[in-house]
mmCIF file of all heavy atoms in Angstrom:
data_model
loop_
_atom_site.group_PDB
_atom_site.id
_atom_site.type_symbol
_atom_site.label_atom_id
_atom_site.label_comp_id
_atom_site.label_asym_id
_atom_site.label_seq_id
_atom_site.Cartn_x
_atom_site.Cartn_y
_atom_site.Cartn_z
ATOM 1 N N VAL Z 1283 -6.234 20.097 12.418
ATOM 2 C CA VAL Z 1283 -6.170 19.744 10.997
ATOM 3 C C VAL Z 1283 -5.234 18.559 10.777
ATOM 4 O O VAL Z 1283 -5.539 17.628 10.026
ATOM 5 C CB VAL Z 1283 -5.710 20.952 10.157
ATOM 6 C CG1 VAL Z 1283 -5.720 20.603 8.677
ATOM 7 C CG2 VAL Z 1283 -6.592 22.154 10.414
ATOM 8 N N ILE Z 1284 -4.082 18.579 11.447
ATOM 9 C CA ILE Z 1284 -3.114 17.486 11.274
ATOM 10 C C ILE Z 1284 -3.692 16.167 11.789
ATOM 11 O O ILE Z 1284 -3.541 15.113 11.151
ATOM 12 C CB ILE Z 1284 -1.795 17.832 11.993
ATOM 13 C CG1 ILE Z 1284 -1.100 18.987 11.268
ATOM 14 C CG2 ILE Z 1284 -0.874 16.612 12.053
ATOM 15 C CD1 ILE Z 1284 0.146 19.499 11.960
ATOM 16 N N PHE Z 1285 -4.364 16.208 12.942
ATOM 17 C CA PHE Z 1285 -4.956 14.981 13.484
ATOM 18 C C PHE Z 1285 -6.033 14.438 12.542
ATOM 19 O O PHE Z 1285 -6.181 13.225 12.383
ATOM 20 C CB PHE Z 1285 -5.559 15.246 14.863
ATOM 21 C CG PHE Z 1285 -4.531 15.486 15.940
ATOM 22 C CD1 PHE Z 1285 -4.876 16.084 17.145
ATOM 23 C CD2 PHE Z 1285 -3.208 15.121 15.744
ATOM 24 C CE1 PHE Z 1285 -3.931 16.309 18.131
ATOM 25 C CE2 PHE Z 1285 -2.252 15.340 16.727
ATOM 26 C CZ PHE Z 1285 -2.618 15.940 17.923
ATOM 27 N N ALA Z 1286 -6.800 15.345 11.923
ATOM 28 C CA ALA Z 1286 -7.804 14.904 10.950
ATOM 29 C C ALA Z 1286 -7.121 14.245 9.757
ATOM 30 O O ALA Z 1286 -7.565 13.193 9.273
ATOM 31 C CB ALA Z 1286 -8.653 16.090 10.499
ATOM 32 N N ASN Z 1287 -6.043 14.856 9.276
ATOM 33 C CA ASN Z 1287 -5.287 14.247 8.180
ATOM 34 C C ASN Z 1287 -4.647 12.935 8.609
ATOM 35 O O ASN Z 1287 -4.484 12.010 7.804
ATOM 36 C CB ASN Z 1287 -4.192 15.208 7.704
ATOM 37 C CG ASN Z 1287 -4.752 16.425 6.997
ATOM 38 O OD1 ASN Z 1287 -5.879 16.403 6.504
ATOM 39 N ND2 ASN Z 1287 -3.967 17.499 6.945
ATOM 40 N N LEU Z 1288 -4.276 12.862 9.893
ATOM 41 C CA LEU Z 1288 -3.640 11.653 10.408
ATOM 42 C C LEU Z 1288 -4.595 10.463 10.345
ATOM 43 O O LEU Z 1288 -4.182 9.337 10.038
ATOM 44 C CB LEU Z 1288 -3.173 11.880 11.847
ATOM 45 C CG LEU Z 1288 -2.317 10.780 12.478
ATOM 46 C CD1 LEU Z 1288 -1.013 10.610 11.709
ATOM 47 C CD2 LEU Z 1288 -2.038 11.104 13.943
ATOM 48 N N ALA Z 1289 -5.880 10.710 10.612
ATOM 49 C CA ALA Z 1289 -6.860 9.624 10.538
ATOM 50 C C ALA Z 1289 -6.893 9.029 9.139
ATOM 51 O O ALA Z 1289 -6.880 7.799 8.955
ATOM 52 C CB ALA Z 1289 -8.250 10.150 10.931
ATOM 53 N N GLU Z 1290 -6.917 9.896 8.129
ATOM 54 C CA GLU Z 1290 -6.928 9.417 6.745
ATOM 55 C C GLU Z 1290 -5.595 8.774 6.385
ATOM 56 O O GLU Z 1290 -5.557 7.753 5.701
ATOM 57 C CB GLU Z 1290 -7.234 10.578 5.803
ATOM 58 C CG GLU Z 1290 -7.383 10.161 4.349
ATOM 59 C CD GLU Z 1290 -7.817 11.312 3.472
ATOM 60 O OE1 GLU Z 1290 -7.781 12.467 3.930
ATOM 61 O OE2 GLU Z 1290 -8.199 11.067 2.317
ATOM 62 N N ALA Z 1291 -4.490 9.366 6.855
ATOM 63 C CA ALA Z 1291 -3.169 8.829 6.536
ATOM 64 C C ALA Z 1291 -2.963 7.443 7.144
ATOM 65 O O ALA Z 1291 -2.357 6.562 6.515
ATOM 66 C CB ALA Z 1291 -2.085 9.781 7.044
ATOM 67 N N VAL Z 1292 -3.457 7.225 8.364
ATOM 68 C CA VAL Z 1292 -3.332 5.902 8.997
ATOM 69 C C VAL Z 1292 -4.129 4.873 8.216
ATOM 70 O O VAL Z 1292 -3.669 3.752 7.963
ATOM 71 C CB VAL Z 1292 -3.801 5.958 10.465
ATOM 72 C CG1 VAL Z 1292 -3.917 4.556 11.045
ATOM 73 C CG2 VAL Z 1292 -2.829 6.775 11.297
ATOM 74 N N ALA Z 1293 -5.357 5.242 7.818
ATOM 75 C CA ALA Z 1293 -6.182 4.327 7.035
ATOM 76 C C ALA Z 1293 -5.502 3.978 5.719
ATOM 77 O O ALA Z 1293 -5.461 2.813 5.305
ATOM 78 C CB ALA Z 1293 -7.556 4.950 6.780
ATOM 79 N N GLU Z 1294 -4.952 4.990 5.046
ATOM 80 C CA GLU Z 1294 -4.256 4.736 3.785
ATOM 81 C C GLU Z 1294 -2.968 3.955 4.016
ATOM 82 O O GLU Z 1294 -2.585 3.116 3.190
ATOM 83 C CB GLU Z 1294 -3.950 6.060 3.086
ATOM 84 C CG GLU Z 1294 -5.190 6.776 2.569
ATOM 85 C CD GLU Z 1294 -4.864 8.132 1.976
ATOM 86 O OE1 GLU Z 1294 -3.705 8.574 2.139
ATOM 87 O OE2 GLU Z 1294 -5.753 8.735 1.358
ATOM 88 N N GLY Z 1295 -2.298 4.233 5.145
ATOM 89 C CA GLY Z 1295 -1.052 3.535 5.448
ATOM 90 C C GLY Z 1295 -1.259 2.045 5.624
ATOM 91 O O GLY Z 1295 -0.422 1.240 5.197
ATOM 92 N N ARG Z 1296 -2.368 1.667 6.235
ATOM 93 C CA ARG Z 1296 -2.668 0.239 6.388
ATOM 94 C C ARG Z 1296 -2.845 -0.400 5.021
ATOM 95 O O ARG Z 1296 -2.395 -1.514 4.763
ATOM 96 C CB ARG Z 1296 -3.933 0.064 7.223
ATOM 97 C CG ARG Z 1296 -3.809 0.565 8.653
ATOM 98 C CD ARG Z 1296 -5.163 0.681 9.308
ATOM 99 N NE ARG Z 1296 -5.769 -0.613 9.498
ATOM 100 C CZ ARG Z 1296 -7.073 -0.795 9.723
ATOM 101 N NH1 ARG Z 1296 -7.879 0.236 9.761
ATOM 102 N NH2 ARG Z 1296 -7.565 -1.986 9.903
ATOM 103 N N GLY Z 1297 -3.508 0.333 4.110
ATOM 104 C CA GLY Z 1297 -3.696 -0.188 2.764
ATOM 105 C C GLY Z 1297 -2.380 -0.330 2.016
ATOM 106 O O GLY Z 1297 -2.160 -1.307 1.302
ATOM 107 N N LYS Z 1298 -1.476 0.650 2.198
ATOM 108 C CA LYS Z 1298 -0.197 0.585 1.505
ATOM 109 C C LYS Z 1298 0.640 -0.590 2.001
ATOM 110 O O LYS Z 1298 1.399 -1.190 1.238
ATOM 111 C CB LYS Z 1298 0.556 1.894 1.695
ATOM 112 C CG LYS Z 1298 -0.066 3.055 0.915
ATOM 113 C CD LYS Z 1298 0.626 4.377 1.198
ATOM 114 C CE LYS Z 1298 -0.048 5.508 0.419
ATOM 115 N NZ LYS Z 1298 0.550 6.823 0.715
ATOM 116 N N ALA Z 1299 0.499 -0.913 3.281
ATOM 117 C CA ALA Z 1299 1.220 -2.075 3.811
ATOM 118 C C ALA Z 1299 0.716 -3.350 3.148
ATOM 119 O O ALA Z 1299 1.490 -4.253 2.823
ATOM 120 C CB ALA Z 1299 1.042 -2.154 5.331
ATOM 121 N N GLN Z 1300 -0.600 -3.425 2.934
ATOM 122 C CA GLN Z 1300 -1.153 -4.583 2.239
ATOM 123 C C GLN Z 1300 -0.677 -4.608 0.793
ATOM 124 O O GLN Z 1300 -0.396 -5.664 0.228
ATOM 125 C CB GLN Z 1300 -2.677 -4.546 2.290
ATOM 126 C CG GLN Z 1300 -3.241 -4.856 3.657
ATOM 127 C CD GLN Z 1300 -4.756 -4.863 3.630
ATOM 128 O OE1 GLN Z 1300 -5.385 -4.119 2.905
ATOM 129 N NE2 GLN Z 1300 -5.352 -5.720 4.425
ATOM 130 N N ALA Z 1301 -0.603 -3.429 0.165
ATOM 131 C CA ALA Z 1301 -0.186 -3.358 -1.230
ATOM 132 C C ALA Z 1301 1.225 -3.894 -1.406
ATOM 133 O O ALA Z 1301 1.542 -4.546 -2.403
ATOM 134 C CB ALA Z 1301 -0.282 -1.925 -1.734
ATOM 135 N N GLU Z 1302 2.093 -3.632 -0.434
ATOM 136 C CA GLU Z 1302 3.461 -4.121 -0.529
ATOM 137 C C GLU Z 1302 3.497 -5.640 -0.552
ATOM 138 O O GLU Z 1302 4.259 -6.254 -1.296
ATOM 139 C CB GLU Z 1302 4.297 -3.588 0.639
ATOM 140 C CG GLU Z 1302 4.717 -2.138 0.483
ATOM 141 C CD GLU Z 1302 5.491 -1.902 -0.798
ATOM 142 O OE1 GLU Z 1302 6.418 -2.688 -1.099
ATOM 143 O OE2 GLU Z 1302 5.160 -0.946 -1.526
ATOM 144 N N SER Z 1303 2.669 -6.257 0.293
ATOM 145 C CA SER Z 1303 2.640 -7.722 0.316
ATOM 146 C C SER Z 1303 2.078 -8.271 -0.988
ATOM 147 O O SER Z 1303 2.484 -9.332 -1.454
ATOM 148 C CB SER Z 1303 1.808 -8.221 1.499
ATOM 149 O OG SER Z 1303 0.447 -7.889 1.332
ATOM 150 N N LEU Z 1304 1.128 -7.539 -1.598
ATOM 151 C CA LEU Z 1304 0.576 -7.983 -2.871
ATOM 152 C C LEU Z 1304 1.588 -7.822 -4.003
ATOM 153 O O LEU Z 1304 1.644 -8.632 -4.920
ATOM 154 C CB LEU Z 1304 -0.690 -7.189 -3.196
ATOM 155 C CG LEU Z 1304 -1.900 -7.468 -2.306
ATOM 156 C CD1 LEU Z 1304 -3.014 -6.482 -2.615
ATOM 157 C CD2 LEU Z 1304 -2.387 -8.886 -2.492
ATOM 158 N N ARG Z 1305 2.393 -6.766 -3.932
ATOM 159 C CA ARG Z 1305 3.373 -6.533 -4.988
ATOM 160 C C ARG Z 1305 4.429 -7.643 -5.037
ATOM 161 O O ARG Z 1305 5.033 -7.888 -6.077
ATOM 162 C CB ARG Z 1305 4.063 -5.187 -4.775
ATOM 163 C CG ARG Z 1305 3.224 -4.007 -5.233
ATOM 164 C CD ARG Z 1305 4.099 -2.759 -5.376
ATOM 165 N NE ARG Z 1305 3.305 -1.659 -5.866
ATOM 166 C CZ ARG Z 1305 2.699 -0.759 -5.093
ATOM 167 N NH1 ARG Z 1305 2.804 -0.876 -3.775
ATOM 168 N NH2 ARG Z 1305 1.995 0.210 -5.612
ATOM 169 N N LYS Z 1306 4.656 -8.287 -3.896
ATOM 170 C CA LYS Z 1306 5.630 -9.371 -3.883
ATOM 171 C C LYS Z 1306 5.194 -10.521 -4.783
ATOM 172 O O LYS Z 1306 6.014 -11.321 -5.218
ATOM 173 C CB LYS Z 1306 5.831 -9.878 -2.450
ATOM 174 C CG LYS Z 1306 6.516 -8.853 -1.554
ATOM 175 C CD LYS Z 1306 6.644 -9.374 -0.139
ATOM 176 C CE LYS Z 1306 7.292 -8.324 0.770
ATOM 177 N NZ LYS Z 1306 7.390 -8.790 2.180
ATOM 178 N N ALA Z 1307 3.869 -10.608 -5.020
ATOM 179 C CA ALA Z 1307 3.365 -11.663 -5.891
ATOM 180 C C ALA Z 1307 3.549 -11.307 -7.358
ATOM 181 O O ALA Z 1307 3.350 -12.131 -8.233
ATOM 182 C CB ALA Z 1307 1.890 -11.931 -5.605
ATOM 183 N N ARG Z 1308 3.893 -10.035 -7.626
ATOM 184 C CA ARG Z 1308 4.085 -9.594 -9.008
ATOM 185 C C ARG Z 1308 5.579 -9.523 -9.297
ATOM 186 O O ARG Z 1308 6.316 -8.781 -8.676
ATOM 187 C CB ARG Z 1308 3.449 -8.221 -9.229
ATOM 188 C CG ARG Z 1308 1.980 -8.230 -9.046
ATOM 189 C CD ARG Z 1308 1.317 -6.953 -9.494
ATOM 190 N NE ARG Z 1308 2.247 -5.864 -9.747
ATOM 191 C CZ ARG Z 1308 1.875 -4.705 -10.280
ATOM 192 N NH1 ARG Z 1308 0.630 -4.516 -10.612
ATOM 193 N NH2 ARG Z 1308 2.745 -3.748 -10.475
ATOM 194 N N THR Z 1309 6.029 -10.302 -10.210
ATOM 195 C CA THR Z 1309 7.436 -10.298 -10.588
ATOM 196 C C THR Z 1309 7.543 -10.051 -12.082
ATOM 197 O O THR Z 1309 6.552 -10.022 -12.796
ATOM 198 C CB THR Z 1309 8.091 -11.649 -10.239
ATOM 199 O OG1 THR Z 1309 7.390 -12.673 -10.962
ATOM 200 C CG2 THR Z 1309 8.018 -11.943 -8.754
ATOM 201 N N ASP Z 1310 8.761 -9.874 -12.526
ATOM 202 C CA ASP Z 1310 8.991 -9.691 -13.961
ATOM 203 C C ASP Z 1310 8.871 -11.050 -14.646
ATOM 204 O O ASP Z 1310 9.869 -11.740 -14.903
ATOM 205 C CB ASP Z 1310 10.367 -9.071 -14.215
ATOM 206 C CG ASP Z 1310 10.464 -7.672 -13.628
ATOM 207 O OD1 ASP Z 1310 9.427 -6.998 -13.586
ATOM 208 O OD2 ASP Z 1310 11.570 -7.287 -13.217
ATOM 209 N N THR Z 1311 7.657 -11.459 -14.898
ATOM 210 C CA THR Z 1311 7.384 -12.783 -15.433
ATOM 211 C C THR Z 1311 7.579 -12.812 -16.942
ATOM 212 O O THR Z 1311 7.186 -11.891 -17.655
ATOM 213 C CB THR Z 1311 5.938 -13.192 -15.105
ATOM 214 O OG1 THR Z 1311 5.738 -13.044 -13.701
ATOM 215 C CG2 THR Z 1311 5.669 -14.623 -15.513
ATOM 216 N N VAL Z 1312 8.173 -13.903 -17.418
ATOM 217 C CA VAL Z 1312 8.289 -14.141 -18.854
ATOM 218 C C VAL Z 1312 7.221 -15.141 -19.247
ATOM 219 O O VAL Z 1312 7.102 -16.208 -18.644
ATOM 220 C CB VAL Z 1312 9.691 -14.671 -19.222
ATOM 221 C CG1 VAL Z 1312 9.754 -15.011 -20.706
ATOM 222 C CG2 VAL Z 1312 10.754 -13.636 -18.867
ATOM 223 N N ALA Z 1313 6.422 -14.793 -20.232
ATOM 224 C CA ALA Z 1313 5.320 -15.645 -20.655
ATOM 225 C C ALA Z 1313 5.679 -16.370 -21.941
ATOM 226 O O ALA Z 1313 6.397 -15.841 -22.795
ATOM 227 C CB ALA Z 1313 4.060 -14.801 -20.861
ATOM 228 N N LEU Z 1314 5.165 -17.581 -22.080
ATOM 229 C CA LEU Z 1314 5.367 -18.376 -23.286
ATOM 230 C C LEU Z 1314 4.098 -18.257 -24.132
ATOM 231 O O LEU Z 1314 3.105 -18.955 -23.901
ATOM 232 C CB LEU Z 1314 5.646 -19.836 -22.912
ATOM 233 C CG LEU Z 1314 6.394 -20.672 -23.955
ATOM 234 C CD1 LEU Z 1314 7.757 -20.062 -24.252
ATOM 235 C CD2 LEU Z 1314 6.560 -22.096 -23.458
#
């Protein structure tokens, strides 16, 4: 069961790593 969950967790983990790099592009921007 854990190994089956691990497959999904690894796939999601790769996505979360990408999300972190995308979040760096989002800052507390002030708009005019």
Side-chain angles (χ1 to χ4, degrees):
V1283 183
I1284 291 175
F1285 289 163
N1287 291 338
L1288 188 62
E1290 185 174 12
V1292 170
E1294 291 176 350
R1296 296 166 67 198
K1298 289 175 181 177
Q1300 288 182 326
E1302 283 303 313
S1303 67
L1304 291 172
R1305 281 196 178 93
K1306 292 178 182 178
R1308 297 190 348 173
T1309 60
D1310 296 329
T1311 307
V1312 176
L1314 203 60

